Amino acid sequence: MKHLELASGARMPAFGLGTWNSAPGEVGAAVRTALELGYRHIDCAAVYGNEAEVGDAFARAFADGVVAREDVWITSKLWCNAHRESEVGPALERTLADLRCEYLDLYLVHWPVALRADASPPAGPGDYLSLEEVPLEETWTGMRGVKARGLCRHIGVSNYSSKKLRSHAAFDDPPEIDQVEMHPYLRQDRLAGAASEHGVRLMAYSPLGSGARPATLQRSGDPVLLEDPTVRAIAAELSATPAQVLIAWALERGTCAIPKSTNPGRIAENLGGASLELDAASMARLDALDRGLRYVHGAFWAKEGSPYTVETLWDGDV
């Protein structure tokens, strides 16, 4: 398994299993399958609504000797309704209880968006708070606090633009990770430059193009990344699958990839991408596919009553 060295010197598995949009009754079995196959990084989030089932899978796998807790990198995320400093600790404690763990390896601020504490997704009119009302620095102080308490070993952010990432670089104990959508249709070169400048590693969600994203994110005319002719041609040349090619592309760029699946065959197939090697010519062909396309576009944060817009969310990053 490939690893990425973080700014702190820690080594994080560069490939893992995502659990976003994994259905109840399926996600626990998916986690168990992944661990048995050799996955050593599982990505979770409170808002996914399935952390308790994931936690049961962890507890059984650890008890059965499939893997030791210290050999699995567990990531989770702070939801948007707990951005005040006083709310970060209780939110993480709930996640730890659900995941049946004493600590996380990595805790991320899920979105640079603040909601009222009693708001639950999907956010409605009046549920939103602005970043001015809950400053990014206040949320980060809360994140530093839970790290100091030993509830998590590393802290980072998710869905943060290059502009917001640079603002965090001035904070004490800056982020080590920014988890963002990234694939050949969305190379994120501007963000990658900012991340490299400040010693932040990027973690790619939806590295296969988010084909199973919720209907609310589906837009007419969006291309299917796994069906792209260039991706399919490279896969055929290498006797690999399109998914394996996309995973290999992400890892070759020095990013972490966390594709989601609950299908045992696909979970095994995706793992094969972690050992696939792409030459410079194949990388260049994939790089040329960039079109600045976000499948997780963020327009759901720009509803009635919201102080956020898609433009201010991404700050011009493509």
Side-chain angles (χ1 to χ4, degrees), residues 250-263:
L251 299 181
E252 184 67 26
R253 299 180 83 218
T255 60
C256 175
I258 47 168
K260 167 262 178 184
S261 182
T262 57
N263 180 295

Side-chain angles (χ1 to χ4, degrees), residues 49-289:
N50 56 19
E51 286 194 323
E53 185 175 339
V54 172
D56 288 343
F58 283 149
R60 290 194 299 271
F62 299 154
D64 293 346
V66 173
V67 65
R69 165 65 187 95
E70 57 269 23
D71 294 327
V72 180
W73 183 285
I74 301 176
T75 296
S76 188
K77 307 175 194 77
L78 175 77
W79 185 235
C80 304
N81 62 355
H83 272 214
R84 297 196 185 280
E85 180 182 355
S86 61
E87 297 163 349
V88 177
L92 178 49
E93 289 165 359
R94 287 190 294 272
T95 275
L96 291 174
D98 284 342
L99 292 177
R100 300 176 65 176
C101 294
E102 294 182 356
Y103 67 93
L104 293 180
D105 296 275
L106 177 64
Y107 198 41
L108 306 175
V109 180
H110 204 147
W111 285 88
V113 171
L115 300 177
R116 289 199 340 257
D118 59 348
S120 60
D127 283 348
Y128 297 90
L129 299 173
S130 71
L131 293 177
E132 288 72 28
E133 291 172 298
V134 185
L136 293 175
E137 188 167 12
E138 177 180 340
T139 306
W140 197 247
T141 299
M143 295 289 285
R144 290 173 50 227
V146 293
K147 179 182 176 183
R149 291 171 57 194
L151 300 183
C152 60
R153 294 183 172 177
H154 306 274
I155 50 179
V157 295
S158 180
N159 297 299
Y160 274 49
S161 67
S162 58
K163 177 181 178 181
K164 294 181 180 70
L165 196 61
R166 284 193 170 97
S167 75
H168 273 55
F171 297 167
D172 290 339
D173 199 0
E176 292 189 82
I177 294 288
D178 189 1
Q179 183 184 121
V180 294
E181 180 181 354
M182 185 179 291
H183 42 71
Y185 284 170
L186 184 67
R187 281 201 332 231
Q188 296 267 31
D189 287 351
R190 182 176 175 183
L191 176 62
S196 177
E197 177 185 345
H198 296 292
V200 178
R201 287 290 194 175
L202 295 179
M203 186 184 298
Y205 72 74
S206 298
L208 308 184
S210 199
R213 63 194 182 279
T216 53
L217 294 178
Q218 303 277 354
R219 294 173 298 191
S220 176
D222 273 351
V224 179
L225 179 58
L226 285 167
E227 296 177 2
D228 184 273
T230 298
V231 175
R232 294 177 68 87
I234 293 172
E237 292 163 12
L238 297 175
S239 299
T241 67
Q244 289 172 339
V245 167
L246 293 170
I247 290 165
W249 176 84
L251 299 181
E252 184 67 26
R253 299 180 83 218
T255 60
C256 175
I258 47 168
K260 167 262 178 184
S261 182
T262 57
N263 180 295
R266 294 241 176 88
I267 293 171
E269 173 192 316
N270 291 345
L271 182 59
S275 56
L276 182 68
E277 294 186 1
L278 299 178
D279 61 20
S282 295
M283 288 296 294
R285 291 162 66 189
L286 292 166
D287 286 344
L289 299 178

